[in-house]
Amino acid sequence: MKRVFTLTDRAWLGSCLQYKWQKTLGNYIAVAGSDSSVKIFDRHGQRKNELNLPGRCVGMDWDKDGDILAVISDKSSSVYLWDANVNKTSQIDSGMRDQMSFILWSKAGPLLAVGTNKGNLLIYNQQTSRKIPVLGKHTKRITCGCWSSQNLLALGSEDCSVTISNQEGDTVRQTSVRSDPADVQFSVMKTDERSSPGESTVSVAVGKKTLFLFNLNDPDNPIELAFQQRYGHIISYRWYGDGYILIGFSQGYFVVISTHIREIGQELFQAHNHKDSLTSVAISSALNKAASCGDNSIKIHDLSELKEMDAIVNLEDETQGLDQLSWTDDGQLLAVSTQRGALHVFLTRLPILGHSCGTRLAYLTSLLEVTVSNRVEGEAPVAVAVEVEPNFIAVGPYHVAVGMNNRAWFYALGDSGVERLKDMEYLGTIATMCLNSEYAAALFEGKVQLHMMEGEGQQEQRQTRLFPDGDRKEHIVSHALTNDFLFYGTDSGVIVCILVEDWQMLNEYRHPVGIKKVFPDPNGTRLAFIDDKSDGFLLSPVAVNDSHVEIPSFSPTITGVLWETWPSDKGVFVSFDDDKVYTYAMHKNTIYGPRVVFVGSTKLPFSHKPLLLYNGELTCQTQSGKTSSVALSTHTFLTHTHSPGAHTYTPEELGKQLTQALMLKRFPEAWELCKVLGGPAGWAEMGRSCLIHMEVELAVRVFRMSGNVGMVMSLQGIKGIEDRRSLLAGHLAMFLNDYNLAQDLYLESSCPNTALEVTHTDTDTDGH
């Protein structure tokens, strides 16, 4: 976890802070200390505004959409409202004559509840400005409360009672507890009977010792759960998942119990997370993670595997200890306040934003930082500080661009460092962007704008061009840029290839259904695309003959394609979804004609986004803002041929590696594997593969190694044939005993009469 910023203020020193993240968006955090103010900061730690109060802040809360922050003070009967959209503060008079003690917005509507020291209640409707005062709701101070998603309001008071009211303020249920209630929450408790819709269970910590569960549909049978004395008292608790409760105890214990009726109160997990004390627990449903803090450390667990400690953060300088933990709704940021009056904010999840060009990567490493790296070329990573939290990143050979909405910022990557070039506004919200060495291509609202990134002095006409141009009424849904070509696909099924040099259309291909995404190889000579039926195809977009090949075993969940960037492996590519990577090889010259073969699949670790494929190794981006390598299971032969003595493989494993190497046309590696296998079977398999790929010279060497003299002589007899596509392929099909194919090929060849001579031959690839 990366610390994003730390907030300190002289007025906060030595006091515990109150703070609240803006709901939903998490763009702001409001913080109050022991002084008479609430300071509002953005998610990068920059101060946005300050609310000056007549006294100390005693409570604050954001409305459900994060639009309005409501604040109450100990020396005023007014409620202070700060509107995040217009950065303005207003006040409403509560009409209460005693000091306010509690404030909470509804999670289902524009209702604000305010409680007082004498037990009175105000319900305020922000939309209609209607105020409902309820005098004597409790007889003593209202200390805690919670709204249900059905707009019921549960309140706890120092009069040792809990009330449940409707949105008009009428009490619908009331129960007494044996000590002061704290931390009232609504939830759904799992019972054997079909549970009623909605949150029907109210939970409350009583006297910091027991957990009291009160079912609104069964008010006469509350459940009270007590815990081991050695745990200390209850600090805080959180409901999560399917009726589970996580409880933090003062002596450092972190305990999970179930409310399923058959195992009610049963401990499912217990850890002594903090040696001396625990001060807070928090849960992020977006991340499916739980956190606890105590002493001077934060510990994070994965809720699906509680025994696994996800992260530990030690704050060595916080000698007085930590205080409260809170996550933003999206799980991206985790705040922790400290006993000395500081607030630290950590990045716990980053949007997975990244892009590659050749072997260069650019990916988000912090909210305002993009890292550009090229590990293959041995270049040191470069961190680029960017102006905005981007929602897209594009990288080219010499540039990186980031942007959001309709604006993009361009940076040049030079030997002397990173230089900001310019920012540009476009005519619509940018969906994606691609760069090559000179140009940027931005896709927005069905159009692609192609423009130069540098060289402002040139003619305006040469600077920019919009596609589709002229009378073409196409709606572009995907685009890609190589150094020579711009490709785009439309919702009507057209794929267009534009020559960047003169901005002229070179070719177009018409597909029966709409195009979803296009993925050219680095040279632009091959292009994979996904159509609206989620089928995958391979196209030679520069060729005029519109020949396309369907990609076999293409999963409908595929979201992207990456081409192999290792120079010797030009026809290899992978497709991927959230769980798996699928390896394919394009075989251009075979006796069967051009074809795509499915080589195999590799499991992807959780939340890994593939960015780059280089020699069978996938570089993926993770939520932590780092990259991680995944070795493809289709390339296990590399571990044998490139790492001598690393591992001893069984003959079966070596046989599988040989098959993989041959499917990927990795003949040098296949040769080495045949030598290790030793027997004739490996050489025979490689020989067959050489015949299929029309590699006659290599086939001669292979069959010589296996001792198949008849095949060697047959192959030497056809070496000089120039008509490779038909006549040579026909002979090779004959040698593979595929007589029907041989006959068809002969008939297409320059010597069609050879078809008449097709007879069964005794020479076969196994040397019999």
Side-chain angles (χ1 to χ4, degrees):
M1 278 197 333
K2 190 173 188 175
R3 195 183 312 196
V4 186
F5 59 86
T6 296
L7 299 175
T8 53
D9 194 288
R10 196 174 295 163
W12 299 346
L13 280 176
S15 64
C16 288
L17 303 175
Q18 285 187 69
Y19 68 93
K20 285 279 169 80
W21 281 111
Q22 180 191 32
K23 286 196 188 123
T24 311
L25 300 167
N27 284 335
Y28 299 110
I29 188 166
V31 190
S34 54
D35 63 333
S36 304
S37 73
V38 173
K39 296 177 175 70
I40 298 161
F41 301 85
D42 68 15
R43 60 196 269 125
H44 309 294
Q46 301 298 311
R47 190 183 293 193
K48 179 82 175 172
N49 205 331
E50 185 170 340
L51 278 64
N52 291 307
L53 308 171
R56 191 174 55 85
C57 167
V58 290
M60 58 177 155
D61 195 34
W62 292 89
D63 75 343
K64 69 180 177 69
D65 299 317
D67 294 330
I68 293 170
L69 173 71
V71 179
I72 50 174
S73 154
D74 64 354
K75 292 198 172 119
S76 170
S77 60
S78 290
V79 177
Y80 296 81
L81 302 175
W82 180 70
D83 188 322
N85 298 316
V86 292
N87 193 13
K88 291 270 169 60
T89 309
S90 57
Q91 293 178 35
I92 49 168
D93 183 9
S94 69
M96 296 292 180
R97 296 290 160 256
D98 60 311
Q99 190 183 319
M100 291 180 284
S101 59
F102 167 80
I103 189 164
L104 191 71
W105 283 99
S106 161
K107 54 188 176 190
L111 302 174
L112 179 67
V114 182
T116 75
N117 274 357
K118 289 184 180 170
N120 300 318
L121 170 69
L122 170 76
I123 295 176
Y124 170 72
N125 187 317
Q126 166 70 10
Q127 227 163 36
T128 63
S129 301
R130 181 183 175 212
K131 296 177 196 168
I132 305 173
V134 185
L135 301 176
K137 174 61 71 177
H138 286 271
T139 57
K140 288 186 180 175
R141 181 169 174 252
I142 294 173
T143 55
C144 58
C146 183
W147 286 95
S148 80
S149 42
Q150 286 75 41
N151 265 341
L152 291 175
L153 175 65
L155 295 171
S157 161
E158 287 175 354
D159 62 9
C160 294
S161 73
V162 174
T163 56
I164 318 295
S165 311
N166 61 22
Q167 62 194 56
E168 297 293 316
D170 307 322
T171 303
V172 293
R173 287 273 185 273
Q174 185 159 3
T175 187
S176 297
V177 289
R178 62 179 83 183
S179 187
D180 284 353
D183 212 352
V184 174
Q185 295 180 34
F186 270 102
S187 193
V188 179
M189 195 171 114
K190 295 291 164 190
T191 56
D192 276 354
E193 302 86 49
R194 201 175 265 276
S195 56
S196 61
E199 298 171 316
S200 55
T201 300
V202 176
S203 57
V204 58
V206 176
K208 297 187 177 179
K209 287 182 179 166
T210 61
L211 202 56
F212 184 85
L213 304 175
F214 175 71
N215 189 333
L216 301 185
N217 303 320
D218 188 11
D220 300 328
N221 294 300
I223 295 165
E224 196 160 4
L225 303 173
F227 302 93
Q228 297 181 44
Q229 244 179 324
R230 68 190 175 101
Y231 291 170
H233 55 259
I234 296 171
I235 292 292
S236 65
Y237 70 94
R238 295 285 178 270
W239 288 80
Y240 76 91
D242 195 18
Y244 300 108
I245 304 176
L246 160 67
I247 311 164
F249 292 91
S250 59
Q251 294 298 314
Y253 288 90
F254 171 102
V255 176
V256 173
I257 63 165
S258 169
T259 64
H260 293 213
I261 207 71
R262 288 190 182 135
E263 51 186 22
I264 190 117
Q266 195 175 313
E267 284 186 16
L268 304 179
F269 177 77
Q270 180 257 88
H272 196 186
N273 262 7
H274 307 279
K275 185 166 155 276
D276 296 325
S277 69
L278 177 149
T279 55
S280 181
V281 294
I283 274 178
S284 168
S285 50
L287 293 180
N288 200 36
K289 287 184 168 49
S292 69
C293 71
D295 306 332
N296 60 356
S297 71
I298 303 167
K299 297 196 173 175
I300 295 179
H301 296 256
D302 192 314
L303 287 173
S304 53
E305 191 51 70
L306 284 161
K307 292 184 184 69
E308 298 288 318
M309 189 73 74
D310 212 60
I312 300 173
V313 181
N314 293 309
L315 290 103
E316 307 293 352
D317 46 343
E318 294 297 347
T319 51
Q320 293 173 43
L322 307 181
D323 190 25
Q324 296 298 310
L325 271 179
S326 178
W327 249 300
T328 52
D329 286 355
D330 61 9
Q332 282 191 13
L333 298 169
L334 175 66
V336 60
S337 57
T338 74
Q339 306 275 353
R340 70 176 174 94
L343 186 87
H344 302 282
V345 174
F346 295 90
L347 190 60
T348 45
R349 178 174 77 172
L350 262 179
I352 297 186
L353 270 187
H355 192 234
S356 64
C357 173
T359 54
R360 175 170 276 124
L361 302 176
Y363 51 96
L364 200 62
T365 40
S366 193
L367 293 174
L368 294 172
E369 180 188 84
V370 171
T371 294
V372 180
S373 70
N374 193 334
R375 198 163 54 88
V376 173
E377 301 288 334
E379 293 175 15
V382 177
V384 182
V386 296
E387 275 78 357
V388 291
E389 276 186 53
N391 51 24
F392 69 83
I393 292 173
V395 67
Y398 313 113
H399 303 86
V400 66
V402 301
M404 65 180 300
N405 301 334
N406 68 329
R407 203 164 162 200
W409 285 259
F410 294 90
Y411 303 84
L413 307 167
D415 295 335
S416 53
V418 179
E419 178 198 350
R420 185 181 149 184
L421 288 177
K422 62 177 177 182
D423 61 299
M424 262 186 77
E425 288 196 6
Y426 296 82
L427 298 171
T429 300
I430 302 162
T432 51
M433 181 176 274
C434 308
L435 312 180
N436 67 14
S437 53
E438 290 182 83
Y439 289 92
L443 170 63
F444 54 88
E445 293 171 15
K447 294 179 167 49
V448 167
Q449 185 172 338
L450 181 68
H451 64 85
M452 294 186 86
M453 289 176 282
E454 300 187 49
E456 295 291 340
Q458 297 184 24
Q459 300 167 352
E460 194 62 35
Q461 178 89 26
R462 188 70 197 134
Q463 288 292 311
T464 186
R465 180 81 168 267
L466 208 58
F467 295 97
D469 54 0
D471 302 329
R472 294 178 78 108
K473 296 281 184 273
E474 295 156 342
H475 183 88
I476 299 172
V477 289
S478 175
H479 79 306
L481 193 60
T482 66
N483 231 26
D484 298 316
F485 307 109
L486 166 69
F487 300 99
Y488 66 76
T490 73
D491 60 359
S492 59
V494 180
I495 294 174
V496 175
C497 172
I498 306 284
L499 186 62
V500 171
E501 191 183 333
D502 58 8
W503 297 7
Q504 294 303 309
M505 188 177 81
L506 194 66
N507 199 9
E508 73 172 43
Y509 161 75
R510 293 188 176 272
H511 192 63
V513 297
I515 307 298
K516 256 194 214 168
K517 289 182 179 175
V518 294
F519 307 95
D521 71 1
N523 298 325
T525 52
R526 297 186 180 104
L527 179 135
F529 68 91
I530 304 172
D531 67 14
D532 279 344
K533 290 183 176 174
S534 298
D535 291 326
F537 296 88
L538 211 58
L539 180 69
S540 297
V542 185
V544 186
N545 61 0
D546 276 1
S547 63
H548 71 280
V549 183
E550 186 163 2
I551 302 172
S553 308
F554 198 79
S555 166
T557 53
I558 294 299
T559 54
V561 169
L562 283 176
W563 285 88
E564 174 64 82
T565 54
W566 192 58
S568 305
D569 242 2
K570 286 196 167 65
V572 175
F573 63 96
V574 295
S575 65
F576 56 87
D577 54 24
D578 291 342
D579 304 313
K580 279 185 176 174
V581 182
Y582 307 86
T583 306
Y584 296 94
M586 168 67 187
H587 297 160
K588 193 176 174 188
N589 298 311
T590 77
I591 59 170
Y592 307 110
R595 64 177 188 171
V596 178
V597 295
F598 172 59
V599 184
S601 64
T602 307
K603 188 158 173 42
L604 261 183
F606 174 71
S607 204
H608 276 51
K609 180 196 169 189
L611 281 182
L612 169 72
L613 175 61
Y614 183 81
N615 197 16
E617 186 177 84
L618 206 57
T619 303
C620 299
Q621 191 180 358
T622 68
Q623 285 183 342
S624 61
K626 295 189 172 84
T627 56
S628 168
S629 292
V630 175
L632 295 182
S633 61
T634 50
H635 288 63
T636 52
F637 58 86
L638 293 175
T639 58
H640 175 83
T641 52
H642 293 176
S643 313
H647 177 70
T648 306
Y649 291 98
T650 64
E652 289 76 16
E653 288 173 320
L654 290 170
K656 187 183 173 192
Q657 290 182 6
L658 175 62
T659 304
Q660 289 176 343
L662 293 172
M663 286 174 91
L664 292 163
K665 274 186 75 179
R666 298 285 287 254
F667 291 126
E669 288 86 352
W671 183 277
E672 293 302 315
L673 284 162
C674 286
K675 277 161 65 176
V676 174
L677 276 162
W683 293 112
E685 187 180 348
M686 184 172 175
R688 277 195 297 274
S689 184
C690 292
L691 298 183
I692 288 167
H693 291 288
M694 300 198 282
E695 297 279 352
V696 177
E697 294 281 353
L698 182 58
V700 169
R701 287 174 55 211
V702 171
F703 285 113
R704 194 170 278 143
M705 288 297 287
S706 68
N708 188 338
V709 180
M711 183 60 81
V712 171
M713 290 176 69
S714 298
L715 287 167
Q716 283 175 331
I718 61 168
K719 255 187 187 177
I721 292 174
E722 288 180 8
D723 178 3
R724 282 179 62 81
R725 177 64 213 99
S726 301
L727 188 56
L728 178 65
H731 287 315
L732 296 173
M734 277 283 290
F735 298 162
L736 286 163
N737 299 334
D738 192 337
Y739 306 113
N740 292 336
L741 175 63
Q743 197 159 22
D744 293 344
L745 288 166
Y746 285 146
L747 288 169
E748 292 169 13
S749 75
S750 51
C751 302
N753 291 343
T754 317
L756 303 173
E757 300 163 19
V758 173
T759 57
H760 287 219
T761 177
D762 290 333
T763 307
D764 67 29
T765 53
D766 295 315
H768 300 307

